[in-house]
């Protein structure tokens, strides 16, 4: 158990996928904290890995009934989500039914979402965007392919439960559209930030030359 000074109400819900490298998670979170000017001592993440009973999941092969019930209220209570993508090109995040569903619920609940990636992946994204139309087409191609019906989960039982929840409520098409819109909105935001940065640099250069 963590000492009291390291225990606080969670400030962000971390949406991530099994199979990520720990080094990628650490570098992505570190970059996010630094770029946003956050105090690491005041950032507390809700991570399903630490909430789940790992013995039930990994040894006894029991599914996520409890997680499914607690997910929505937990996300709403925390109020902010950090979605960690491993890469923009064929991201594992968009092939897993849990993360797709988490992203949809964040949209449905109006929860603020910040999308982050490891520094190397972010640099690759910037290169693609800066390469022009072809690069942007490639980015939108990979981030626009959301198919919750074909997405998978580590446990087949979990996959069936989450897909049943989607099928019996809003349907796969609506989930796909909402998550695709979220990804495209993020790409547009990155593009706009890039353009603003380029214009700012040009303006400073002109001021120096004048």
């Amino acid at each position: 158990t963590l000492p009291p000074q390291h225990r606080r109400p969670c400030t962000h819900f971390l949406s991530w996928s099994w199979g990520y490298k720990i080094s990628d998670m650490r570098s992505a979170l570190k970059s996010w904290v630094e770029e946003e000017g956050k105090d690491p001592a005041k950032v507390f993440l809700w991570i399903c890995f630490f909430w789940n009973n790992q013995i039930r999941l990994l040894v006894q092969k029991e599914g996520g009934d409890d997680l499914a019930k607690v997910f929505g209220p937990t996300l709403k209570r925390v109020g902010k989500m950090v979605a960690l993508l491993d890469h923009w090109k064929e991201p594992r995040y968009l092939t897993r039914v849990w993360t797709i569903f988490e992203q949809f619920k964040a949209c449905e609940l109006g929860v603020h979402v910040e999308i982050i990636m490891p520094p190397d992946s972010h640099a690759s994204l910037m290169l693609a965007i800066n390469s022009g139309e072809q690069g942007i087409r490639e980015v939108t191609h990979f981030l626009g392919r959301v198919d919750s019906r074909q997405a998978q989960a580590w446990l087949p039982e979990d996959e069936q439960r989450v897909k049943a929840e989607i099928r019996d409520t809003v349907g796969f098409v609506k989930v796909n559209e909402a998550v695709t819109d979220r990804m495209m909105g993020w790409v547009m935001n990155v593009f706009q930030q890039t353009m603003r940065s380029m214009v700012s640099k040009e303006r400073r250069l002109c001021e120096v030359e004048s």
Side-chain angles (χ1 to χ4, degrees):
T1 303
L2 289 173
Q5 66 268 27
H6 297 308
R7 300 199 302 265
R8 294 289 187 279
C10 290
T11 58
H12 297 80
F13 181 106
L14 182 65
S15 179
W16 65 290
S17 174
W18 284 87
Y20 284 179
K21 295 179 180 178
I22 294 177
S23 58
D24 284 344
M25 294 185 68
R26 289 184 62 185
S27 64
L29 290 168
K30 183 174 184 292
S31 294
W32 168 63
V33 167
E34 292 175 350
E35 291 173 5
E36 295 296 321
K38 298 182 182 295
D39 181 353
K42 296 180 180 179
V43 175
F44 294 85
L45 302 174
W46 192 95
I47 305 177
C48 62
F49 178 87
F50 298 105
W51 186 89
N52 290 342
N53 185 323
Q54 299 302 320
I55 293 179
R56 286 180 55 201
L57 286 174
L58 302 179
V59 179
Q60 300 173 1
K61 305 294 184 183
E62 295 182 20
D65 279 343
D66 292 340
L67 184 58
K69 293 176 182 178
V70 78
F71 164 65
T74 298
L75 179 59
K76 190 172 183 179
R77 183 180 71 252
V78 175
K80 295 178 182 178
M81 173 187 282
V82 175
L84 201 165
L85 274 64
D86 51 334
H87 205 280
W88 61 270
K89 185 178 288 187
E90 297 182 344
R92 181 179 180 82
Y93 190 95
L94 296 181
T95 68
R96 315 308 291 175
V97 71
W98 260 118
T99 43
I100 290 174
F101 185 62
E102 287 171 359
Q103 196 61 228
F104 170 75
K105 291 299 290 185
C107 294
E108 187 178 57
L109 295 171
V111 171
H112 176 69
V113 177
E114 295 178 75
I115 298 176
I116 65 174
M117 291 190 300
D120 289 348
S121 298
H122 187 268
S124 173
L125 174 64
M126 298 308 298
L127 282 174
I129 290 176
N130 290 333
S131 69
E133 182 179 351
Q134 182 58 39
I136 294 174
R137 284 181 180 276
E138 188 177 17
V139 171
T140 55
H141 168 72
F142 284 111
L143 293 177
R145 294 191 302 177
V146 180
D147 189 347
S148 54
R149 190 187 298 273
Q150 298 300 321
Q152 299 176 327
W154 186 77
L155 285 176
E157 295 83 359
D158 262 5
E159 180 180 329
Q160 294 169 10
R161 290 187 183 98
V162 177
K163 288 183 177 179
E165 174 71 16
I166 294 173
R167 184 177 57 251
D168 296 342
T169 54
V170 297
F172 294 103
V173 172
K174 188 171 182 178
V175 168
N176 295 345
E177 290 176 346
V179 178
T180 297
D181 286 348
R182 173 78 76 183
M183 292 296 113
M184 293 301 99
W186 169 58
V187 171
M188 286 297 298
N189 186 52
V190 172
F191 178 75
Q192 290 172 356
Q193 289 178 346
T194 302
M195 293 299 296
R196 281 195 288 266
S197 177
M198 293 173 64
V199 170
S200 179
K201 288 179 181 179
E202 286 295 325
R203 184 180 295 116
R204 289 197 297 269
L205 181 60
C206 291
E207 290 174 352
V208 170
E209 292 177 347
S210 62

